[in-house]
Amino acid sequence: MTEDVHLSAERLILREHVEHISPQEREWLDRHLENCPDCTRLAGATGQALQSLRAVSIPLPPALASRTQLRVYLRAQERRERERGGWVLWTSCGLSCAIGIASAPYVWRAFEWIGHRTGLPALAWQSGFAMWWALPALLAVAIVLIDRIEAKV
């Protein structure tokens, strides 16, 4: 037999204890174990080692379970608050875009009128309009960044 067959058997033996193997893999492994004493010893030793580990008692502090439950509860509460904040942010972004699109022609005319009345070059008042359009997005990015920085602290 080749070394690949033994390596496959070893992998199946280890996988069998961590996750389930398919019936076809189980059948192949049983046939292989009937003919291979080395892999049979490995399977037995692996099973005994896992049983020994399950039998070991590890003393834990009495308050560990309650502290863990409290931390899990606090983390879940924090995540719920973050999700609510995300919903508000997405809603405000959507409203901002809708209002921006609806008001864009009027704001364009207002910037154009102010530009002509003050004698500004077209590039200046058009840049002002672009800044007006980008301002809500920049504010939203700033809010998200501030929120993430606060979450890390």
Side-chain angles (χ1 to χ4, degrees):
M1 290 191 186
T2 66
E3 200 169 314
D4 290 338
V5 173
H6 296 294
L7 188 60
S8 296
E10 182 180 339
R11 285 186 181 141
L12 283 176
I13 290 167
L14 296 175
R15 259 188 47 216
E16 177 183 32
H17 292 289
V18 177
E19 58 191 52
H20 295 289
I21 59 175
S22 70
Q24 295 85 7
E25 291 172 325
R26 178 78 243 168
E27 185 180 324
W28 180 88
L29 183 59
D30 287 340
R31 278 196 318 260
H32 178 75
L33 292 177
E34 287 174 2
N35 301 323
C36 181
D38 290 337
C39 290
T40 303
R41 275 194 299 277
L42 176 67
T46 303
Q48 285 178 345
L50 288 172
Q51 280 182 335
S52 297
L53 283 174
R54 287 185 187 116
V56 172
S57 175
I58 300 172
L60 298 173
L64 180 65
S66 61
R67 285 194 315 240
T68 303
Q69 286 175 338
L70 177 64
R71 293 224 175 147
V72 168
Y73 172 76
L74 291 174
R75 180 69 176 139
Q77 193 174 23
E78 180 184 318
R79 290 194 64 163
R80 277 193 296 271
E81 288 173 9
R82 282 194 162 284
E83 288 172 4
R84 267 189 243 129
W87 179 81
V88 170
L89 181 64
W90 283 107
T91 303
S92 64
C93 284
L95 286 173
S96 174
C97 287
I99 292 170
I101 290 169
S103 65
Y106 304 111
V107 174
W108 177 266
R109 287 189 195 121
F111 271 88
E112 183 180 32
W113 181 80
I114 291 170
H116 288 301
R117 295 289 278 173
T118 58
L120 289 173
L123 184 61
W125 65 262
Q126 289 171 355
S127 297
F129 175 79
M131 294 296 274
W132 169 84
W133 185 265
L135 187 63
L138 293 174
L139 288 175
V141 168
I143 291 169
V144 169
L145 289 176
I146 290 169
D147 188 45
R148 293 213 175 153
I149 290 170
E150 287 177 356
K152 289 181 181 179
V153 174

